[in-house]
Amino acid sequence: MSNILVIGAVGQIGTELTMELRKRHGGKNVVAATRKTPFPKELEQSGPCIFFDVSDKEAMKKVIKEHNIDTIYQLASLLSATGEKDPDLAFQINLIGLKNTLDVCRECGVKKIFWPSSIAAFGPTTPRDNTPQRTVLEPTTMYGVTKVSGELLLQYYHNKYGLDTRSVRYPGLISYKAEPGGGTTDYSVAIFYEAIKHKKYTCFVGSHTVLPMMYMPDAIRGTIELMDAPREKLTVATSYNLAAISFSAKELADEVARIIPGFVCDYKPDHRQAIADSWPKSIDDSQARKDWNWKHKFGLKEISEDMVKNLTPILAGKK
Ligand code: AKB
């Protein structure tokens, strides 16, 4: 049985990952840490919730000692579009926050840490189709810079200090439980909210924009499967490519219109188009499939139907 600390427990991934970890390990064994208060009810009622900032190493150490933590999920992050508005803050939270956590892991004897990388680690000089595991990493955003640097830090702390560091490069994530905040791939979630509420959506990337995407249940399961995999099976010490499906903004809009008749989407690309254009269209994740049996379950049809089914009652205030 592990004693787990989730840092960034109220973010897009943290919200769902914390609850899933509490189901598997018991509520009291999974500490949720966030700087977003008040804590959501579900989180507060199901286990310990703690306020701290990733810049506060002493607060982090105190929690680790008090709860005998052996495993950390360090998810605190600004996403790509928000990071471009405040690159200094993105650097502080994403990279210095990770460095602080890695140092505290060493000092307090924490054994294992998960940290999320992203397709944002790639850039315009990376091959865009079926992007390989090992390739050019020259991102154009500060978010991407922190992802590449963070991946290298994980590898360094693993090689030098024997810390069990694990990571995946998430594609765009689609979920109905937590609204995304400040990502370039957010249109793939916002489209469902607007389609259900108003039957129309103005998309901030062009109709032909293709990006790799994944449904959150696949992402959560994949993350836990990687953390549970025997260390000797893992051959990537930076971050594993992780993929499910790729589709264009228009293919997504067509699928939404099939489920919600009368839905109309138009396209007004803004500054986020350049970020989307610098990222891969599809990802080769064969190393993850080989090393720890990664397999996605949800395709575009299943994602869209599940999103509409679950989000409709939430937006109607019934859930
Ligand atoms: C973003 O769009 O910034 C994120 C990501 C792909 O990491 N969803």
Side-chain angles (χ1 to χ4, degrees):
M1 185 61 73
S2 298
N3 290 327
I4 298 172
L5 171 64
V6 183
I7 302 174
V10 182
Q12 196 197 6
I13 300 169
T15 302
E16 295 194 35
L17 185 62
T18 307
M19 293 312 294
E20 186 56 35
L21 290 169
R22 282 184 172 170
K23 246 192 247 163
R24 293 172 187 232
H25 295 268
K28 69 175 184 353
N29 299 319
V30 180
V31 180
T34 175
R35 56 181 197 136
K36 288 187 195 160
T37 52
F39 305 125
K41 261 209 179 84
E42 196 188 26
L43 207 64
E44 201 166 27
Q45 287 169 355
S46 58
C49 288
I50 279 158
F51 174 88
F52 76 74
D53 203 283
V54 282
S55 62
D56 190 348
K57 282 170 83 172
E58 291 313 311
M60 213 187 283
K61 278 188 206 166
K62 190 164 171 271
V63 174
I64 289 170
K65 284 180 188 154
E66 261 172 31
H67 293 267
N68 212 9
I69 298 295
D70 53 51
T71 303
I72 295 184
Y73 290 78
Q74 192 342 353
L75 309 171
S77 176
L78 288 196
L79 295 182
S80 54
T82 316
E84 286 314 281
K85 285 193 196 135
D86 195 341
D88 287 344
L89 186 63
F91 188 84
Q92 281 303 324
I93 293 181
N94 298 11
L95 199 58
I96 304 300
L98 172 63
K99 171 84 168 48
N100 286 344
T101 313
L102 290 168
D103 287 336
V104 168
C105 282
R106 279 182 60 212
E107 287 166 38
C108 299
V110 174
K111 294 189 185 73
K112 212 190 245 187
I113 175 167
F114 175 85
W115 178 79
S117 187
S118 157
I119 53 166
F122 303 117
T125 50
T126 306
R128 291 192 74 201
D129 293 305
N130 215 21
T131 301
Q133 174 66 50
R134 290 189 168 88
T135 184
V136 183
L137 298 169
E138 294 180 337
T140 53
T141 60
M142 178 54 91
Y143 177 64
V145 169
T146 65
K147 290 303 176 192
V148 176
S149 315
E151 288 189 12
L152 294 173
L153 269 182
L154 294 183
Q155 177 167 257
Y156 183 84
Y157 276 68
H158 175 64
N159 291 342
K160 187 151 177 97
Y161 304 117
L163 193 59
D164 189 351
T165 57
R166 304 187 182 203
S167 177
V168 295
R169 294 172 179 149
Y170 289 117
L173 297 177
I174 302 175
S175 153
Y176 61 86
K177 291 199 179 151
E179 284 187 54
T184 301
T185 59
D186 287 8
Y187 63 89
S188 61
V189 180
I191 192 171
F192 289 99
Y193 281 79
E194 296 307 308
I196 293 166
K197 285 195 283 193
H198 307 299
K199 289 205 173 199
K200 61 177 191 218
Y201 178 59
T202 300
C203 185
F204 58 76
V205 298
S207 59
H208 297 295
T209 306
V210 175
L211 285 173
M213 301 281 181
M214 182 180 290
Y215 202 33
M216 191 62 90
D218 273 342
I220 299 296
R221 184 179 45 77
T223 304
I224 294 174
E225 282 171 6
L226 170 64
M227 286 298 266
D228 288 346
R231 181 75 224 187
E232 62 277 11
K233 297 259 181 211
L234 306 183
T235 59
V236 175
T238 51
S239 186
Y240 275 95
N241 277 5
L242 195 72
I245 45 166
S246 292
F247 48 77
S248 69
K250 179 166 183 329
E251 283 167 324
L252 174 60
D254 288 348
E255 187 57 27
V256 175
R258 183 185 67 75
I259 303 166
I260 304 177
F263 169 67
V264 187
C265 189
D266 62 358
Y267 301 87
K268 284 207 181 106
D270 65 16
H271 58 281
R272 289 167 281 193
Q273 182 71 55
I275 301 178
D277 288 343
S278 75
W279 290 351
K281 292 181 178 175
S282 59
I283 300 286
D284 173 5
D285 64 352
S286 48
Q287 199 65 50
R289 291 179 190 256
K290 185 168 162 234
D291 287 2
W292 43 280
N293 286 325
W294 158 246
K295 234 183 252 138
H296 74 278
K297 288 190 182 152
F298 290 85
L300 177 57
K301 181 171 177 287
E302 293 81 26
I303 295 174
S304 305
E305 288 174 356
D306 206 58
M307 280 294 285
V308 173
K309 187 174 118 205
N310 285 289
L311 198 53
T312 304
I314 292 173
L315 294 181
K318 284 187 202 140
K319 241 182 176 178

